[in-house]
Amino acid sequence: MRDQEPAPAARQDRRLTTRETAELLGVKPETVYAYVSRGQLTSRRGESRRGSTFDAAEVEALARRNRRESKPSSAPDELAVHTRLTLIDGDRYFFRGVDAVELATRHSYEEVAEWLWTGTLRPGARFVAPKESREAARRAVAALPELAGPVDRLRVAAVAAATSDPLRYDLSEDSVLGAARALIPTLATALPLVRGTYADGEPIAQRLWGRLSHKAPDEASLRVLDLALALLTDHDLAASTLAVRVAASARAHAYAAVSAGLGVLEGPLHGAASGLAHRMLLEVLERGSAGSVVSDELRAGRRVPGLGHRLYKGEDPRARALFAALEELPEAQPALAAARDVVATTARHTDLHANVDLALAVFTTTFGMPAEAGETVFAVARTAGWIAHALEEYGERPLRMRPTGHYVGVRPPQPLPAPSPKG
């Protein structure tokens, strides 16, 4: 077959221009440089021409690989996405091949985000939002009704930030990363301030804390929040991440892709799960033991919040890391004891381990945060991962995430429906 034939020596030595490379791959020129930044292509400055040149054999190999990956799988109902971002293997997960828990323990949320986006660690990375973005988001959020939840506010803030960015339709990697570094601090500071004031340029965890708790943070508690953000940056193809990739496949700009993720996140089976665990822990603390609380959950036909994860047989590694950090905080001991009581009570009959929602609930109850605080932390943290997935998807064939519906309704042709009687 042609794809298996080696290229002639003359073609192997030939160099292609950026335009020729883009045409062969069927992508835009800026996507070619996205391939370079991800290590999928190597470029070289032309000796007698302006711009970069690319090895023809390497380009053709990438084109063949892209064609193979875009072919329908043997199971047409199953959607597979090739990603270089996150691997979940056993009871561990990895960001670009690096143990994610170890990375989050040693580096800040911003540094982890940069690693996920670019594969380069930027020590001391800080994200700064332009004044126009911050002010547009705050005005839009302030206009919402009182009953608006935190994710409602974050969605509105993302849309408002988009309208202040005239370059939002530029999907080149540099432009998308610039938008990401502005959007995350915009989201973190768009929520109503409940204590203190924070300067733009401080770590995201510090700016977010003043939107979550009336209590003053110390260095140890801020570190736990930063760790939570870093641990939650990405987690393979969760439902919200898939929504982001679908939006990016249609070439929605980064702000719109993040909005798609926020829309899915609000479900009780995803981002809002930590709020259910938060309320349960408050009940356990009020009653003094987990037995009756767990019994009430089961009697109502509900699963016990904060337990079990479909991707891990053992304990969620994110929960394990957060619990270890919380153990160092004296004020967290009552909530930690309540969480252990829940796990021990359910362990009598089921083999379910704590997940990250329970660990987040320990953190949010410890510092007097509202039940929705865990959802807020989740949303701000995962924005970095959504941007990383959007960047990957911008380098793929447009509109590839278009499954075919299997129609199971009545067969046509059917007569036109008769008008329904009044009354």
Side-chain angles (χ1 to χ4, degrees):
M1 295 177 65
R2 178 178 295 177
D3 283 355
Q4 297 173 331
E5 294 175 357
R11 294 189 68 188
Q12 289 178 338
D13 295 336
R14 190 163 64 90
R15 305 293 298 180
L16 302 178
T17 66
T18 301
R19 181 181 296 277
E20 290 171 333
T21 300
E23 289 175 353
L24 184 58
L25 293 173
V27 299
K28 295 179 179 179
E30 54 263 31
T31 304
V32 172
Y33 292 101
Y35 283 130
V36 173
S37 67
R38 297 175 194 137
Q40 295 171 266
L41 283 178
T42 53
S43 64
R44 193 170 70 197
R45 299 296 296 180
E47 296 178 0
S48 59
R49 66 180 83 179
R50 296 178 60 188
S52 300
T53 64
F54 302 85
D55 181 80
E58 186 180 42
V59 174
E60 289 171 355
L62 178 59
R64 287 196 299 271
R65 186 163 66 250
N66 286 352
R67 286 196 295 269
R68 285 196 301 271
E69 292 177 354
S70 65
K71 287 179 181 178
S73 66
S74 56
D77 291 333
E78 184 177 336
L79 178 63
V81 175
H82 297 270
T83 177
R84 294 171 178 81
L85 299 175
T86 301
L87 169 68
I88 297 175
D89 186 19
D91 287 339
R92 299 173 68 189
Y93 72 120
F94 304 84
F95 291 159
R96 291 188 179 272
V98 176
D99 185 283
V101 170
E102 189 174 351
L103 189 69
T105 302
R106 298 187 180 188
H107 295 281
S108 71
Y109 166 66
E110 291 92 329
E111 291 168 346
V112 172
E114 289 285 349
W115 170 254
L116 201 63
W117 292 338
T118 67
T120 300
L121 198 64
R122 289 181 56 211
R126 290 286 183 270
F127 300 155
V128 178
K131 181 179 179 181
E132 296 82 4
S133 176
R134 288 183 281 117
E135 290 185 349
R138 287 171 182 166
R139 285 196 301 269
V141 168
L144 290 175
E146 186 178 345
L147 292 178
V151 177
D152 295 323
R153 293 186 168 95
L154 292 175
R155 279 203 304 270
V156 168
V159 172
T163 63
S164 71
D165 184 359
L167 302 179
R168 62 186 180 276
Y169 295 108
D170 181 357
L171 302 186
S172 65
E173 183 171 5
D174 285 346
S175 182
V176 172
L177 289 178
R181 294 177 184 123
L183 177 58
I184 290 174
T186 295
L187 295 180
T189 57
L191 301 174
L193 192 66
V194 296
R195 74 164 312 278
T197 57
Y198 298 97
D200 198 33
E202 290 178 335
I204 295 297
Q206 190 162 346
R207 280 179 274 178
L208 188 59
W209 185 283
R211 272 80 188 171
L212 301 176
S213 176
H214 290 276
K215 297 184 178 181
D218 57 18
E219 186 176 343
S221 55
L222 279 173
R223 177 58 191 145
V224 174
L225 177 54
D226 184 73
L227 175 64
L229 290 166
L231 291 168
L232 291 168
T233 301
D234 191 42
H235 205 236
D236 195 35
L237 287 181
S240 57
T241 305
L242 182 58
V244 168
R245 293 199 75 128
V246 171
S249 177
R251 297 303 183 257
H253 56 69
Y255 301 91
V258 167
S259 296
L262 287 168
V264 176
L265 187 72
E266 204 167 8
L269 302 181
H270 197 7
S274 63
L276 303 177
H278 176 105
R279 294 181 180 94
M280 177 187 67
L281 283 188
L282 288 181
E283 276 200 67
V284 173
L285 289 168
E286 182 180 347
R287 298 189 192 184
S289 69
S292 60
V293 177
V294 169
S295 178
D296 287 348
E297 292 288 337
L298 297 175
R299 186 176 185 179
R302 298 187 293 264
R303 293 184 58 183
V304 180
L307 298 179
H309 196 290
R310 62 188 298 267
L311 297 181
Y312 300 113
K313 292 182 180 179
E315 189 175 32
D316 184 335
R318 301 167 298 176
R320 187 165 55 246
L322 268 181
F323 282 139
L326 287 162
E327 290 281 4
E328 303 298 318
L329 304 182
E331 58 266 56
Q333 298 312 305
L336 277 169
R340 292 192 200 100
D341 195 3
V342 170
V343 173
T345 300
T346 56
R348 299 176 190 176
H349 300 294
T350 61
D351 187 24
L352 293 177
H353 298 269
N355 62 34
V356 73
D357 297 315
L358 189 61
L360 270 179
V362 170
F363 174 72
T364 56
T365 55
T366 294
F367 293 101
M369 297 177 182
E372 299 81 10
E375 187 177 6
T376 304
V377 173
F378 198 115
V380 173
R382 191 57 56 88
T383 299
W386 291 337
I387 293 292
H389 281 273
L391 276 169
E392 274 200 334
E393 198 57 43
Y394 291 147
E396 300 287 354
R397 176 171 52 85
L399 292 174
R400 69 190 184 108
M401 293 193 179
R402 175 58 169 88
T404 301
H406 294 284
Y407 180 74
V408 294
V410 295
R411 301 302 303 175
Q414 295 289 322
L416 288 174
S420 59
K422 292 183 179 181

